[in-house]
Amino acid sequence: KAGVTQTPRYLIKTRGQQVTLSCSPISGHRSVSWYQQTPGQGLQFLFEYFSETQRNKGNFPGRFSGRQFSNSRSEMNVSTLELGDSALYLCASSPGTAINEKLFFGSGTQLSVL
Amino acid sequence: GIQVEQSPPDLILQEGANSTLRCNFSDSVNNLQWFHQNPWGQLINLFYIPSGTKQNGRLSATTVATERYSLLYISSSQTTDSGVYFCAVERNYGGSQGNLIFGKGTKLSVKP
């Protein structure tokens, strides 16, 4: 079974631009969640989607948004990029049908904002 | 919010040594997972262990939920065990999930 796939692996953008990151979950998984990892703040939860609906959201500004498609693939978008948005963005998937489940992470997208 | 504290923050071992990593959390949780992040950034799920003890090869984990801590044991360490080990806990939002609260991690370096 293929794992969680994130694209692209690396991305370089400049301040003010916007960016879209993609995540394909493990086949059969319907829950996709996104995390931001920085050296200063560590790993922080962004949002979680299940069956195309956002079920949970972390404490990030509205510039961070996401969506999920009917095939469970998910995208996250960051508009008006700031230097502080430079981070490793990680996507995780799980079946989504139980309250507590094991999460499986992708390799991440390393975003650099110049 | 819930606090997750991991200790020690850094650990250097000689290959073959054993180690114990600790995770303390400040409130009741329904879910606890241990992850290993390799040097390429990939987070590998080691254990889903909200309570009890589990073993997987050279690794084992114990969570004592009533006392709000979890331990990860690594025996006969190998250089490939190097990386950062994270403990993450999850609160129950009544059906929603995926909101893991991560500790700061323990950075393990295993020397040959």
Side-chain angles (χ1 to χ4, degrees), chain A residues 77-89:
Chain A
N77 183 276
V78 187
S79 62
T80 318
L81 284 166
E82 300 177 0
L83 296 178
D85 297 333
S86 294
L88 179 65
Y89 290 88

Side-chain angles (χ1 to χ4, degrees), chain A residues 1-72:
Chain A
K1 211 179 221 185
V4 179
T5 304
Q6 290 189 246
T7 56
R9 185 70 179 95
Y10 301 96
L11 207 48
I12 299 175
K13 293 286 186 180
T14 56
R15 278 183 300 175
Q17 287 187 309
Q18 75 167 17
V19 67
T20 299
L21 312 181
S22 179
C23 173
S24 293
I26 291 171
S27 177
H29 285 191
R30 294 164 63 191
S31 170
V32 173
S33 48
W34 289 88
Y35 289 80
Q36 181 197 65
Q37 185 177 25
T38 60
Q41 298 299 316
L43 279 146
Q44 294 184 287
F45 172 74
L46 281 157
F47 27 66
E48 185 248 350
Y49 288 87
F50 177 81
S51 291
E52 302 178 67
T53 300
Q54 186 182 88
R55 291 197 299 191
N56 201 359
K57 188 177 188 302
N59 188 26
F60 277 81
R63 299 185 297 107
F64 292 81
S65 63
R67 59 177 176 168
Q68 187 181 33
F69 302 95
S70 58
N71 62 358
S72 294

Side-chain angles (χ1 to χ4, degrees), chain B residues 62-110:
Chain B
T62 295
T63 297
V64 184
T66 53
E67 297 187 21
R68 299 181 185 169
Y69 74 88
S70 184
L71 302 173
L72 178 69
Y73 306 96
I74 305 174
S75 64
S76 304
S77 58
Q78 300 175 358
T79 56
T80 51
D81 295 332
S82 297
V84 183
Y85 289 80
F86 290 101
C87 167
V89 301
E90 184 171 8
R91 291 177 288 186
N92 182 3
Y93 280 108
S96 180
Q97 60 185 301
N99 183 2
L100 286 175
I101 309 298
F102 281 80
K104 296 292 186 187
T106 291
K107 185 176 180 181
L108 175 64
S109 299
V110 181

